[in-house]
């Protein structure tokens, strides 16, 4: 494998091939067995929920052991390193780059089963350089800890402790990157269990050190736990990765060989637009906190609680495309744009259905949900009301956030970090600028957020800032929807938007009936249950009646599962017993 300069936006796709036996795979790979997506989504959802629960327990233990003082302030400054590294190296940027790369390698492996293994070629060409870069970044963060702490928190009461914790957490850069790389490879091979369990391993490592060493090391134990947890993340994936690499190579393959058309050419600078988009997307949080700092004390905390609750619905929607992303990448690598388009359209509809149901629930039940989760101790009724008001406004942007998560994956799959050696290199500089389209769209959305926040915050406070956030992210989603078509995926926009309109109408009806149902009782638990059940039933009924396929399909499947067995009915006499 050789390197190449990124002289064009999109490498030429190979000539379209006949559709595979199962178009869900989108490529010539062996089709997953029936029910594969449902099972993969179920495993991913369960393990992700377990990781989130352990993360909540971690936060509760931090509060219990260390409270809120200069020590925890120092640790939270050090926490910035893994908090920033995780989206870049585990899920977003690394996944956007390496899942399409491994998907292309798998396509080439199946086209020439007797030639050199493209997957091993890809690993040899990318992993050593990745390890070198990650080690350099990790060492740089550790050595530069004093300057980093001074930049992030110049007025910190205990900068020495923050520097120590930062140097410990700097270790996470290397294992985070390794975990992201191995997870991308495993997902491209349609293996989701181990990647879905990495946050379980991560939080178990933190909890183990916290429980055993908090009395000895103080808040440093949390930093050591973060470092240990990151090592466990990577360690969890090493054995499945090596097993898959050995199993896929085949006994008749040569380890190395002369470069042919089926060899892969590395395009290292393809990562720049991906990193720019990811960092621009992350900056949304910093802008929100910066504008919120001008509001009364406690506002940033209310915004933080509201974001954590609201984004649970978005996370559920993103889990869908986490499972289907390798299928889209494989389809694009094989040149099957029709299969890729169909999968992306289905993902957009399914993610919208899940997120709009969650949005309807939050709009109807926000006060009771916040009271149930947070209203105890110093968090009083005023805090509940303020946080619930922000959630209800913030939730309007959740569908856009989820759709961005769905659309950005196929967008970057058309510009993988590798290409076939025999594919032509297009030289259209105008098309090359589309590489930066997502980052530009996100930047424009941030401008809308800033301008809207500056105009609305003085009059409406935190809800005005939440509204500006929702408008800005929705503008970004609209631009990316258009950009996906420009990129070469021929989405049927009228069909997509029509389906979303039906889902939106179902969600609006669910809110209209779920809100009074939640207000029938003052008890937070009963209010959440009444409101949630009403929202779910109304959303299902309206979605089915309006013809929303994403709702009608699951409702009919549930009805068949709860109804009499067809096999049993066939054995009964036609006129009764």
């Amino acid at each position: 494998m050789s390197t190449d300069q990124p002289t064009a936006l999109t490498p030429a796709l190979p000539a379209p091939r006949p559709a595979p036996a199962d178009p869900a795979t989108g490529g010539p790979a062996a089709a997953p067995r029936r029910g594969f997506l449902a099972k993969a989504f179920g495993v991913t959802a369960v393990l992700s929920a377990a990781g989130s629960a352990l993360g909540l327990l971690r936060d509760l233990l931090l509060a219990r052991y260390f409270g809120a003082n200069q020590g925890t302030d120092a640790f939270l400054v050090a926490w910035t390193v893994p908090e920033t590294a995780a989206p870049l190296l585990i899920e977003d940027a690394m996944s956007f780059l390496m899942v399409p790369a491994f998907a292309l390698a798998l396509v080439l492996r199946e086209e020439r089963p007797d030639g050199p293994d493209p997957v091993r070629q890809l690993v040899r060409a990318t992993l050593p350089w990745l390890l070198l870069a990650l080690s350099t970044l990790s060492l740089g963060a550790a050595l530069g800890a004093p300057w980093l702490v001074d930049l992030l928190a110049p007025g910190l009461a205990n900068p020495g402790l923050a520097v120590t914790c930062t140097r410990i957490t700097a270790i996470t850069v290397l294992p985070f990157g390794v975990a992201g790389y191995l997870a991308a490879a495993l997902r491209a091979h349609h293996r989701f269990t181990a990647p879905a369990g990495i946050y379980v391993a991560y939080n178990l490592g933190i909890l183990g050190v916290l429980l055993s060493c908090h009395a000895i090391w103080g808040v440093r134990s949390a930093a050591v736990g973060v470092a240990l947890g990151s090592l466990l993340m990577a360690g969890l994936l090493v054995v499945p990765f090596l097993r898959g690499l050995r199993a896929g190579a085949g006994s008749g393959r040569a380890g190395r060989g002369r470069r042919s058309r089926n060899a892969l050419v590395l395009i290292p600078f393809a990562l720049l637009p991906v990193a720019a988009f990811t960092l621009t997307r992350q900056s949304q949080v910093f802008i929100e906190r910066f504008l919120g700092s001008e509001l009364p004390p406690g506002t940033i905390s209310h915004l933080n609680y509201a974001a954590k609750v609201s984004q649970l619905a978005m996370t559920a929607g993103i889990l869908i495309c986490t499972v289907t992303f390798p299928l889209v990448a494989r389809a694009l690598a094989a040149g099957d744009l029709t299969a890729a388009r169909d999968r992306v359209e289905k993902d957009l509809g399914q993610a919208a259905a899940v997120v709009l149901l969650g949005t309807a629930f939050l709009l109807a039940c926000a006060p009771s949900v916040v009271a149930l989760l947070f209203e105890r101790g110093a968090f009083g009724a005023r805090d509940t009301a303020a946080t619930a008001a922000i959630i209800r406004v913030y939730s309007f942007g959740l569908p856009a956030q989820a759709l961005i998560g769905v659309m950005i994956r196929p967008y970057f799959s058309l510009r993988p970090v590798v290409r076939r050696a025999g594919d032509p290199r297009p030289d259209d500089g105008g098309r090359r600028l589309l590489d930066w389209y997502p980052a530009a769209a996100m930047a424009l959305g941030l401008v809308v957020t800033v301008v809207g926040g500056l105009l609305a915050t003085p009059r409406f406070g935190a809800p005005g800032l939440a509204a500006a956030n929702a408008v800005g992210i929705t503008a970004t989603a609209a631009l990316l929807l258009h950009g996906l078509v420009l990129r070469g995926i021929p989405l049927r926009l009228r069909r997509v938007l029509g389906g979303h309109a039906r889902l939106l109408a179902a969600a609006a009806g669910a809110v209209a009936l779920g809100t009074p149902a939640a207000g029938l009782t003052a008890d937070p638990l009963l209010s959440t249950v009444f409101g949630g059940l009403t929202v779910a039933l109304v959303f299902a009924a309206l979605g089915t009646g309006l013809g929303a396929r994403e709702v009608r399909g699951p409702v009919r499947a549930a009805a068949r599962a709860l109804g009499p067995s067809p096999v049993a009915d066939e054995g009964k006499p036609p006129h009764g017993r």
Side-chain angles (χ1 to χ4, degrees), residues 436-454:
W436 298 91
Y437 186 96
M442 184 59 67
L444 183 59
L446 290 177
V447 171
V448 173
T449 299
V450 170
V451 173
L454 291 173

Side-chain angles (χ1 to χ4, degrees), residues 35-43 323:
F36 159 77
L37 290 180
K39 293 177 181 178
F41 176 77
V43 168
V323 173

Side-chain angles (χ1 to χ4, degrees), residues 261-411:
R261 184 190 184 281
N262 276 22
L264 295 174
V265 177
L266 185 65
I267 310 174
F269 290 160
L271 63 88
L272 294 180
V274 180
F277 168 79
T278 304
L279 291 173
T280 306
R281 191 177 184 183
Q282 285 296 111
S283 65
Q284 187 178 28
V285 176
F286 299 111
I287 290 175
E288 185 177 89
R289 290 178 180 177
F290 177 81
L291 294 177
S293 65
E294 302 295 327
L295 297 174
T299 299
I300 292 179
S301 295
H302 298 153
L303 288 166
N304 179 62
Y305 290 130
K308 286 187 175 181
V309 173
S310 300
Q311 290 181 358
L312 290 175
M314 183 198 70
T315 302
I318 292 297
L319 285 178
I320 295 172
C321 63
T322 299
V323 173
T324 61
F325 179 32
L327 308 182
V328 176
R330 187 80 68 93
L332 294 173
D336 194 345
L337 290 178
T338 300
R341 178 202 65 192
D342 293 344
R343 184 68 257 175
V344 171
E345 289 179 351
K346 187 176 292 186
D347 288 348
L348 288 170
Q350 291 175 341
V354 172
V355 176
L356 283 171
L357 175 59
T359 299
F361 169 71
L362 291 174
L363 288 172
C365 306
S368 61
V369 169
V370 175
L372 186 63
L373 292 176
F374 300 114
E375 193 172 319
R376 57 183 58 88
F379 196 98
R382 289 185 177 179
D383 297 311
T384 296
T387 303
I390 296 172
I391 286 177
R392 281 177 160 162
V393 178
Y394 188 83
S395 295
F396 284 100
L398 293 179
Q401 292 195 35
L403 296 182
I404 288 172
V406 174
M407 292 186 289
I408 198 62
R409 286 164 167 81
Y411 192 99

Side-chain angles (χ1 to χ4, degrees), residues 102-113:
F102 278 106
L104 178 57
L106 289 169
V107 169
L108 297 181
R109 170 190 278 179
E110 294 182 6
E111 289 180 358
R112 293 194 60 183

Side-chain angles (χ1 to χ4, degrees), residues 4-87:
D4 191 8
Q5 297 299 321
T7 58
L9 167 69
T10 308
L13 288 169
R17 295 170 174 79
D22 183 355
T25 61
R33 62 187 180 274
R34 185 174 181 83
F36 159 77
L37 290 180
K39 293 177 181 178
F41 176 77
V43 168
T44 302
V46 169
L47 290 176
S48 297
S52 298
L54 291 173
L56 177 61
L57 179 59
R58 171 202 68 202
D59 294 339
L60 293 175
L61 286 180
L62 283 171
R64 176 181 177 182
Y65 291 151
F66 309 119
N69 52 41
Q70 62 183 21
T72 55
D73 287 347
F75 168 72
L76 290 175
V77 171
W79 181 265
T80 303
V81 174
E83 189 178 41
T84 303

